[in-house]
Amino acid sequence: LSLSYNSFSGSLPESIGNLTNLQILDLSNNKLSNDIPSEIGQLTQLQYLYLQSNDLNGTIPESLAYLNESLQLMSLSANQL
C-alpha cells in the first residue's frame, strides 16, 4: 500500500493493526503526527515500512520487535522520534 506524497495529516489510526496481510506500507512524505500506534506490531506479514518525512513524535513502539522475522526495511528518518 503506497500512499506517499498525499499531504495526509493527523494520527495513524489504531485500526492500522487490522491490515494483517499487508506486506508494504509506505506513508512517507505526508504530514502524519503523534505517536506510531503499537498496533503496527500486528502487521506480521509486513516486509517494508516507510514512515519517513512526517511529523511523527514520541517513542518507537516496542511492538515493532514482533516484526523481526518479516521486516526487511524500516525507514523512520526525518521525524521527531
Side-chain angles (χ1 to χ4, degrees), residues 4-72:
S4 60
Y5 293 98
N6 279 291
S7 297
F8 292 141
S9 61
S11 301
L12 283 170
E14 294 175 1
S15 59
I16 194 112
N18 295 333
L19 303 173
T20 55
N21 291 319
L22 204 60
Q23 295 181 340
I24 299 171
L25 179 58
D26 185 353
L27 292 169
S28 62
N29 298 285
N30 283 292
K31 297 175 184 174
L32 298 172
S33 58
N34 299 320
D35 294 342
I36 299 171
S38 62
E39 288 79 6
I40 206 159
Q42 297 171 5
L43 305 180
T44 56
Q45 302 300 311
L46 198 63
Q47 296 176 18
Y48 299 95
L49 175 61
Y50 302 100
L51 295 175
Q52 75 270 13
S53 299
N54 279 287
D55 294 318
L56 297 168
N57 56 57
T59 58
I60 298 170
E62 290 182 26
S63 63
L64 283 174
Y66 301 142
L67 306 179
N68 65 345
E69 292 186 23
S70 63
L71 199 61
Q72 296 179 28

